[in-house]
Amino acid sequence: MYELHTPVDIKAVAKYIGYYLLAFTFVLIVPMMAAVIFHNYQAAGYYGITAMAVFILGSLIYRTLPDYELETKEALIIVALVFPISALLSAIPMSLSTGMPLFDAYFESVSAVTTTGLSVAPADVGPVFLFARSWGQWVGGIGIILVVLSVLISPGTTAYRIYKANYGDMKIKPTVISTTRALGKVYILITLISIVLLVLSGMSLFDSICHAFCCVSTGGFSTQAASIGAYQGNLIPAAISISCLLGAVSFVLYPYLLKKPEKFIHNKELRYFLALLFLGSLVFAFTLSREDFEYNSIKDNFFQIISAATTAGFSTFDLSILSEASKAVLIFMMWVGGNMGSTAGGIKVFRILLLFKVVHNVLIRLFLPRETITPMKIEEHVIESKEIYNLVTFMLLYTVILIASAFIFMLYGVDATSSVFETSSALSTVGLSAGATGAAMPFVLKAVLIIDMLFGRIEIIPLILLFMPSTWIKRKRNNKRMVKI
């Protein structure tokens, strides 16, 4: 990886963190209003005071510092800072209102803003906590940066670089500001669709809102300790599955549903994703058929595959009873994840397609003359060499982080399969657990999962840049010439 030639401008980073803090005030006000509705005025006070403090701090930073035009590296650093800071600001009122240790509340908040769904919360924490946690996942799904871009930042180079650091090159409108607003409208629309589906399937309004927030953000937090297994029948699992799929499909495709439906239907990544769900459900059904318990083909088989592949993380039964073969299927589905441009985590189907394209290109070139040019293309998208370098870097880092995290779990006595399962769930921001994650988990393992969840949501490289010395400090070059003897 190339070193940064110059360090980031700390004042420029601070200026836009000020913008972000102003936007995050609204995120804290919503659970405050929910606490008032549930007559939990103490919790409302904690959220209100935190929101006020965040607003004052954001205003001071915003008014004190002049405007800056961000470089790409500074946009990446802002993205890396936003999620851990968001989790910390959410954890403070959460800890005060529930009595949870601050570190456990931080774990819960990181799990929320990264749309993971792993939990160490105690039972009977109350509706305000359940709503705040679901709301945090919904905001984390589309990204607080989208709010900043849509409302606070003017169009221009800075807006483009912040957008690109979050969402890449995907655009559905001429400008990034109009694109973020369009994405926001799509996100709100599929959330409303999810709420209606869940209410019609028999879920209460409160549970429907909380679950809809977590479905379209592919988060996985549930208002029930037994997750979706607490609900009877197949209607609610079916509604949850549809809602999770809505969140795992690239948001760029939705505008084509009305204008060019064939473009939506024939999208290569989407078709491979649906094929993966079908094949995964067949293999998972085969492994379940060899288990010693009865299962329902919709609630326990297809539902669980959708939950893993969309990285939603809901479950209909205790996954710790599964065999290693069944867990392996879910691990693979969690690794792959959903579509680019969606709220799903994992490696993403597009990257898997690109990886196979690279392998195919290497094999084909063995039979071609050396000077032959073999361009790579996925639909209309021409693959540049930079994307291949990024892919190799991402896959290598993903593998190293996964192996290191799983090894630490093994050092604490967790079996190999469960270690890989829990760390894969965190790194792919899924939230499924084989039973190792809980309040009694050692501090070190909680810290490992927190780091993995942040890596999974921020997609590794920005978070690594955050801890590189050359990001912040300009290194002195050694200008001494070597003397030839």
Side-chain angles (χ1 to χ4, degrees), residues 113-382:
V113 299
T114 59
T115 71
T116 304
L118 289 171
S119 179
V120 296
D124 303 324
V125 283
V128 176
F129 170 83
L130 295 174
F131 176 83
R133 194 173 64 166
S134 300
W135 168 249
Q137 283 204 326
W138 191 78
V139 171
I142 194 64
I144 187 65
I145 293 293
L146 185 141
V147 179
V148 176
L149 285 171
S150 301
V151 180
L152 298 176
I153 296 180
S154 302
T157 305
T158 292
Y160 170 74
R161 285 173 175 162
I162 292 177
Y163 176 89
K164 188 175 181 180
N166 277 266
Y167 308 107
D169 291 318
M170 66 169 195
K171 282 168 61 175
I172 54 178
K173 294 286 184 179
T175 67
V176 296
I177 301 297
S178 58
T179 295
T180 54
R181 289 172 182 168
L183 291 174
K185 291 175 183 177
V186 168
Y187 196 55
I188 292 170
L189 179 60
I190 63 174
T191 303
L192 293 175
I193 292 171
S194 178
I195 293 172
V196 171
L197 285 174
L198 292 168
V199 170
L200 292 177
S201 66
M203 194 178 276
S204 69
L205 181 60
F206 174 75
D207 283 7
S208 296
I209 292 172
C210 289
H211 282 94
F213 283 167
C214 298
C215 284
V216 299
S217 64
T218 60
F221 278 137
S222 176
T223 56
Q224 306 295 324
S227 192
I228 308 306
Y231 299 98
Q232 299 298 316
N234 290 327
L235 281 179
I236 289 177
I240 291 285
S241 297
I242 294 169
S243 301
C244 293
L245 287 170
L246 289 174
V249 173
S250 176
F251 288 5
V252 175
L253 293 178
Y254 283 113
Y256 293 112
L257 270 174
L258 297 176
K259 298 177 182 178
K260 297 179 181 178
E262 67 280 359
K263 192 174 180 65
F264 183 95
I265 296 169
H266 296 298
N267 179 263
K268 195 169 187 177
E269 186 183 21
L270 178 59
R271 284 158 53 197
Y272 273 89
F273 177 61
L274 296 176
L276 179 68
L277 291 177
F278 177 72
L279 292 174
S281 66
L282 291 180
V283 177
F284 192 56
F286 174 74
T287 61
L288 287 180
S289 67
R290 304 168 69 86
E291 306 280 359
D292 294 328
F293 65 92
E294 294 183 1
Y295 69 96
N296 182 293
S297 61
I298 294 178
K299 278 191 75 172
D300 299 328
N301 174 27
F302 198 56
F303 176 88
Q304 213 57 68
I305 287 296
I306 289 176
S307 182
T310 62
T311 70
F314 294 107
S315 59
T316 55
F317 62 96
D318 182 6
L319 301 183
S320 63
I321 66 175
L322 290 175
S323 67
E324 292 194 355
S326 296
K327 289 178 183 176
V329 176
L330 294 181
I331 288 171
F332 176 77
M333 300 301 288
M334 290 191 291
W335 285 346
V336 176
N339 292 182
M340 280 285 195
S342 71
T343 60
I347 295 170
K348 304 289 195 318
V349 175
F350 182 83
R351 285 197 183 103
I352 301 297
L353 289 176
L354 179 54
L355 187 63
F356 278 107
K357 203 79 174 176
V358 171
V359 173
H360 177 263
N361 197 53
V362 169
L363 295 175
I364 287 296
R365 286 193 64 84
L366 295 174
F367 301 93
L368 297 174
R370 211 170 176 185
E371 64 275 7
T372 304
I373 298 174
T374 53
M376 288 191 294
K377 195 175 180 183
I378 297 179
E379 294 185 322
E380 299 91 5
H381 183 76
V382 178

Side-chain angles (χ1 to χ4, degrees), residues 379-426:
E379 294 185 322
E380 299 91 5
H381 183 76
V382 178
I383 309 301
E384 298 178 359
S385 58
K386 179 184 175 182
E387 292 180 78
I388 298 173
Y389 295 144
N390 289 340
L391 172 67
V392 172
T393 303
F394 178 84
M395 294 298 293
L396 176 62
L397 292 173
Y398 188 95
T399 304
V400 169
I401 292 167
L402 180 63
I403 292 171
S405 301
F407 181 70
I408 295 172
F409 266 71
M410 292 177 207
L411 290 176
Y412 277 80
V414 182
D415 65 271
T417 304
S418 295
S419 296
V420 175
F421 193 98
E422 301 296 312
T423 52
S424 296
S425 182

